[in-house]
Amino acid sequence: IVYTSNILAILGLRSLYQVLSIAVQDLVYLETSAAVILGFVGLKLVGEVAGFNLDSSISLVVIVATLAIGILASKMEENAKQEPKKAKTKNSFARLFEDLGKALGL
């Protein structure tokens, strides 16, 4: 049973790795957000050894937010490369919301 569970876990990780390798090609900031998440988890572990406890719900929010920011930044970068440069008649705040709406498909 132990060997079978380990083999199935490795096979599951292999398929997950292939999905992530395809996603990294499309989402340019996914690696950066994953690095930030690993750094956060490392700091959290060091903090726990030092006696600082962080609630799991806060950790979950930080991880999900970091992934969401990485995906949104990648989509905004993709949209910026696909569109020709527009005249700079809009201020940067309006362009930010326009790019965010396009990234979300609105």
Side-chain angles (χ1 to χ4, degrees), residues 86-97:
K86 293 181 181 179
K88 294 186 177 184
T89 57
K90 297 180 181 177
N91 63 13
S92 61
F93 191 70
R95 281 184 284 170
L96 174 70
F97 278 106

Side-chain angles (χ1 to χ4, degrees), residues 20-89:
L20 285 177
S21 68
I22 292 169
V24 165
Q25 292 173 357
D26 294 336
L27 304 171
V28 293
Y29 293 115
L30 189 62
E31 285 183 1
T32 306
S33 61
V36 169
I37 290 170
L38 288 175
F40 170 74
V41 170
L43 287 175
K44 182 182 175 197
L45 289 173
V46 169
E48 285 181 2
V49 169
F52 179 75
N53 291 326
L54 190 63
D55 192 27
S56 298
S57 60
I58 295 173
S59 297
L60 181 63
V61 167
V62 169
I63 290 170
V64 169
T66 304
L67 280 175
I69 289 169
I71 291 170
L72 283 175
S74 298
K75 289 297 185 183
M76 289 173 69
E77 176 94 10
E78 181 181 317
N79 286 342
K81 286 182 180 178
Q82 289 178 354
E83 287 183 6
K85 299 293 180 188
K86 293 181 181 179
K88 294 186 177 184
T89 57

